[in-house]
Amino acid sequence: MDKIYFCPVGEEEAVGFFVVEETRINGVSYLLVTESEDQEAEAYILKDLSADGETEARYVFVEDAQELEAVSKIFAELLEDVDIEL
């Protein structure tokens, strides 16, 4: 798995996540990430808020319950052997 690093706003230290899967829905990019490669690790869905042409991506955690459920279903279909629980 690829590991990516984020620099949270106001923080000096970067946070690393392993990218499990990525998808694009209605023109919006989403990442399914974990903090470790352990199969029982917690997963998070990140949404790309950066505008076209920006040199750096801006990701936020998906917190809206409806959006989270819809996107998690897509990731569950993409990863047939992975059980995603909300």
Side-chain angles (χ1 to χ4, degrees):
M1 273 187 264
D2 290 335
K3 191 166 187 178
I4 56 175
Y5 293 89
F6 294 93
C7 293
V9 176
E11 299 288 326
E12 291 184 25
E13 192 171 323
V15 178
F17 291 104
F18 291 96
V19 178
V20 177
E21 185 63 78
E22 57 186 296
T23 191
R24 191 165 181 86
I25 303 168
N26 295 329
V28 178
S29 295
Y30 293 90
L31 298 176
L32 178 65
V33 300
T34 65
E35 293 178 2
S36 74
E37 292 182 287
D38 181 13
Q39 289 184 347
E40 297 296 320
E42 283 195 35
Y44 307 97
I45 296 177
L46 302 175
K47 178 180 183 177
D48 185 359
L49 296 181
S50 56
D52 289 338
E54 283 190 66
T55 57
E56 292 186 17
R58 292 182 300 128
Y59 284 92
V60 296
F61 290 100
V62 175
E63 295 180 356
D64 178 76
Q66 289 180 326
E67 183 180 18
L68 186 61
E69 184 175 343
V71 176
S72 66
K73 285 181 183 179
I74 300 295
F75 280 126
E77 289 177 17
L78 292 171
L79 301 165
E80 295 173 359
D81 61 334
V82 175
D83 185 28
I84 298 176
E85 295 178 22
L86 297 178

